[in-house]
Amino acid sequence: MSKSKGKRKAAPAAPKKRRVTGAERQARKNVAKNSTIIFWITAIILVLLFVGRWVVAIANGYFGAFFQVDYSAASAVDNMKGRTPAGDDADLLLPLEKRWDLFTASRLRDEVHTTADDGAELHGYLYNEGAGVTVVVLPQFYDDGTADFLPGEYLNELTGCNLLLPDPRCHGGSGGEYFSYGLTEQYDLAAWLRWADEALGEQTYILWGTGTGANTALYAAANGLLPDSVAFLVAESPYASLHEMAQAHIARFYSVPAFPFLTAIEIKTNRSNTGFTVADIDLAPVLSGSDAELPALFLLSASDAYILPAWSESVISLYPGPSETITDGTGHGTVYAAGQSAVETLLADWWSRYGG
């Protein structure tokens, strides 16, 4: 018998490919485009949130360190290269530092207190020589009454003076909620002078300030807060504008741009309950409108990398009273050590002219 040959099944026909319409193609493009936009918007928002939190954190940290002088001030100051002498500058200061240590070790130091006009309790140190002359030392930011005062021994030899070394408000043992770079501290200085007259008898005063301490004395002189018993003041490395200094320091010491960081810091300060704005801390308009006649001896270093010489020169040019300037030193705080003979000669001359 013959076998019949079976029929082969036909392969299923391939489904017809549906043509994508123009509307569908456009819809897919829109979805892809919208997804990309959403991705980038989300990424930008996350970056802005991160940067915003960073800016706010820096603003809060700066405010705490430089206006409240809290625990973070020490590390903030450590970043300020040039503020503390190092290397050759430190070697230059060493002999005078040893002399100051010997001078203070041979004398009794009293802790003294007074009350500021706003009720803050102020603390300081007094080397009482029983004299009718007192040198009041106003230190730079973050220094207090324990800081070395290298001209102290010479001034004592020259005048026989007592030495009063106050802690600025928010520093050392002094109270106060905010440090204001001379705005409030000028009134604290006036309070210390009243205290000294009561505690020591009527005194003749020499004021010696460095950095913000110099600004404190200059604010007080310009605003007529100092009694006639102040013979003269010595201002080392003053500066006019806190904004200008902060702008330079943020860029140089913290490696971040002034905008938006300084802007955020100033907004934080201006909206706080300090009672002042950053723009208020500017000696220039105060000196320009003053008729102060107190003699002022200005000291500045042409190589100061912390308080730039141009800032000090702008203050000197505006000071209305009699003044002389000594430019010496190899860095911040080294004028007396580098030009000791010239400074002491001029101090002796000024004492004979204004204080004797």
Side-chain angles (χ1 to χ4, degrees), residues 237-273:
S237 301
Y239 56 91
S241 166
L242 180 63
H243 170 86
E244 182 180 37
M245 184 167 71
Q247 188 174 42
H249 284 183
I250 285 173
R252 290 176 60 233
F253 301 142
Y254 298 96
S255 300
V256 295
F259 180 82
F261 295 96
L262 180 57
T263 306
I265 290 163
E266 293 188 337
I267 290 172
K268 165 72 176 177
T269 305
N270 298 350
R271 291 181 177 178
S272 68
N273 61 349

Side-chain angles (χ1 to χ4, degrees), residues 109-183:
R109 185 181 74 176
D110 299 322
E111 293 197 42
V112 294
H113 303 82
T114 193
T115 303
D117 293 350
D118 65 356
E121 290 300 314
L122 304 176
H123 172 272
Y125 301 96
L126 174 69
Y127 292 95
N128 189 350
E129 302 286 285
V133 180
T134 297
V135 174
V136 183
V137 183
L138 306 168
Q140 65 182 348
F141 174 79
Y142 204 62
D143 280 355
D144 57 26
T146 63
D148 290 347
F149 178 52
L150 303 185
E153 183 189 35
Y154 172 74
L155 286 169
N156 179 259
E157 291 175 358
L158 177 67
T159 68
C161 62
N162 314 307
L163 291 173
L164 175 60
L165 300 96
D167 293 337
R169 62 173 49 221
C170 300
H171 292 70
S174 287
E177 292 187 61
Y178 303 107
F179 186 67
S180 63
Y181 296 85
L183 280 181

